[in-house]
């Protein structure tokens, strides 16, 4: 069944009132996106803090209505509810029904990381290959499919480690992709930590899909066990990485390899100075404007 889609752009402070007006007029669904997406001003948002809902300075709202809705009537009603709204800010179009949460699968193809690690969407059967390590993935509503440079940098780093029998902490686990990859690469046990309950569900679902659910535990921050791990990886953002550095230091055993990512090129110097207190042999790798810092926990 087709729908009538109404799109309009608003400033951050206008967004709550616009969304309320669209709901009052009977919108079946409302989605938000960066109005500057796919431009040099695009802003990525990956790991909000607990209870936070960060949005962009300018937001495009897409609202779906019944296909028979009166376009002129909707425009007139919005004009009354939102007096500042100009008619040329409204864009109507008819869209076909589809499984929106699954649409990404049409474009997502298998990806290779490092020497032997592959990430496959769950609906594509990998070929039989004893040399390859395959993670079957359905990100669902959680961040982490391997397509973003930060995730790719971490996956390649994991592929280069000797993980057999090791314990791993994946902080900011999202879909569970890094923890599950570590387990498929030979780790004995992994802990995923994320402040989004949806991420914990996605991690559990993906762990079951890959046959490693018994070896993966996922927690909200603060609920995880305090025991240090043999390997530590965190893919979040520069601000939390700096703030959480002492906690990460306690979560990594002496001599443990570690990697942090989610860092924009230009932010690494401050983090290098911050982490040098607890970690050594620090190295910077950059891809597409994003940075991974890796090294080893001090002490033996």
């Amino acid at each position: 069944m087709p729908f009538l889609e109404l799109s309009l752009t608003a400033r951050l402070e206008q967004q709550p009132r616009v969304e309320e007006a669209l709901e009052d007029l009977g919108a079946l669904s409302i989605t938000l996106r960066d109005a500057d997406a796919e431009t040099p001003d695009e802003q990525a948002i990956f790991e909000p803090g607990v209870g936070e809902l960060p949005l962009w300075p300018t937001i495009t709202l897409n609202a779906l209505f019944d296909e028979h809705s009166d376009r002129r009537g909707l425009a007139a009603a919005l004009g009354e509810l939102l007096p500042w709204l100009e008619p040329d800010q409204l864009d109507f179009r008819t869209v076909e029904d589809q499984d929106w949460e699954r649409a990404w699968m049409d474009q997502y193809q298998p990806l290779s990381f490092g020497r032997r690690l592959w990430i496959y969407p769950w609906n594509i059967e990998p070929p039989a290959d004893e040399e390859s390590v395959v993670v079957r993935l359905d990100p669902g509503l959680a961040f982490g499919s391997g397509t973003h440079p930060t995730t790719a940098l971490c996956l390649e780093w994991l592929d280069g480690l000797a993980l057999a029998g090791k314990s791993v902490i994946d902080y900011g686990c999202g879909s569970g992709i890094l923890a599950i990859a570590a387990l498929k690469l030979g780790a004995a046990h992994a802990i995923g930590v994320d402040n989004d309950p949806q991420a914990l569900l996605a991690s559990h679902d993906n762990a079951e899909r890959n046959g490693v659910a018994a070896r993966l535990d996922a927690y909200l921050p603060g609920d995880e066990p305090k025991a240090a791990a043999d390997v530590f990886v965190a893919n979040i953002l520069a601000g939390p990485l700096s703030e959480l550095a002492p906690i990460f230091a306690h979560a990594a055993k002496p001599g443990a390899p570690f990697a942090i990512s989610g860092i924009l090129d230009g932010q690494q110097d401050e983090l290098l100075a911050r982490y040098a207190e607890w970690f050594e042999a620090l190295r910077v790798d950059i891809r597409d404007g994003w940075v991974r810092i890796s090294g080893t926990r001090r002490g033996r």
Side-chain angles (χ1 to χ4, degrees):
M1 179 184 73
F3 295 93
L4 177 65
E5 181 185 69
L6 166 59
S7 298
L8 64 92
T9 298
R11 298 190 305 274
L12 175 59
E13 63 271 18
Q14 297 170 328
Q15 177 267 328
R17 184 68 190 97
V18 174
E19 190 165 350
E20 181 182 357
L22 292 170
E23 290 175 349
D24 289 345
L25 294 175
L28 303 173
S29 71
I30 302 171
T31 57
L32 312 179
R33 66 181 179 88
D34 186 358
D36 294 317
E38 301 181 1
T39 76
D41 295 322
E42 180 176 7
Q43 297 184 22
I45 294 176
F46 296 122
E47 286 292 332
V50 177
E52 295 179 356
L53 181 61
L55 292 174
W56 308 273
T58 309
I59 302 162
T60 296
L61 296 92
N62 295 323
L64 293 182
F65 293 88
D66 181 273
E67 65 172 319
H68 302 298
S69 299
D70 180 9
R71 300 186 183 200
R72 290 185 178 180
L74 285 173
L78 280 172
E80 293 181 5
L81 293 171
L82 307 170
W84 50 267
L85 192 67
E86 299 292 336
D88 59 3
Q89 288 181 257
L90 304 179
D91 181 37
F92 290 95
R93 71 185 183 106
T94 300
V95 296
E96 295 299 320
D97 188 15
Q98 61 174 305
D99 186 353
W100 298 101
E101 293 182 8
R102 303 267 57 83
W104 69 276
M105 285 289 191
D106 295 336
Q107 287 78 39
Y108 182 36
Q109 296 299 313
L111 300 169
S112 174
F113 302 93
R115 182 176 60 85
R116 56 188 177 135
L117 180 62
W118 285 84
I119 307 297
Y120 268 72
W122 66 268
N123 62 333
I124 296 180
E125 190 68 27
D129 181 359
E130 295 182 358
E131 297 296 322
S132 297
V133 175
V134 175
V135 174
R136 306 292 296 277
L137 189 69
D138 178 4
L141 301 180
F143 172 66
S145 64
T147 58
H148 194 273
T150 61
T151 311
L153 285 164
C154 292
L155 287 168
E156 290 177 357
W157 177 77
L158 286 170
D159 182 74
L161 297 179
L163 292 173
K166 300 290 181 66
S167 60
V168 178
I169 292 178
D170 170 14
Y171 205 98
C173 59
S175 66
I177 184 172
L178 300 181
I180 294 167
L183 293 170
K184 297 295 289 278
L185 287 164
H189 181 254
I191 289 175
V193 181
D194 204 289
N195 60 21
D196 181 1
Q198 180 66 45
L200 305 187
L201 292 174
S203 294
H204 280 300
D205 288 346
N206 284 318
E208 289 184 1
R209 184 171 287 110
N210 285 275
V212 297
R215 295 187 285 139
L216 173 64
D217 296 311
Y219 301 91
L220 293 170
D223 293 342
E224 73 274 17
K226 302 310 176 187
D230 299 312
V231 177
F232 184 91
V233 60
N235 185 21
I236 44 179
L237 290 176
L241 287 174
S242 179
E243 179 182 348
L244 294 168
I247 294 175
F248 292 173
H250 287 295
K253 291 181 180 179
F258 94 105
I260 54 175
S261 194
I263 306 159
L264 286 168
D265 191 7
Q267 297 176 326
Q268 60 265 42
D269 289 345
E270 181 179 343
L271 287 169
L272 287 167
R274 174 77 162 147
Y275 276 76
E277 180 177 348
W278 301 281
F279 297 89
E280 60 188 0
L282 297 178
R283 167 177 170 164
V284 171
D285 292 272
I286 302 174
R287 174 175 300 173
D288 298 336
W290 293 91
V291 173
R292 180 191 71 212
I293 297 175
S294 58
T296 305
R297 178 69 167 96
R298 290 187 182 278
R300 288 290 182 267

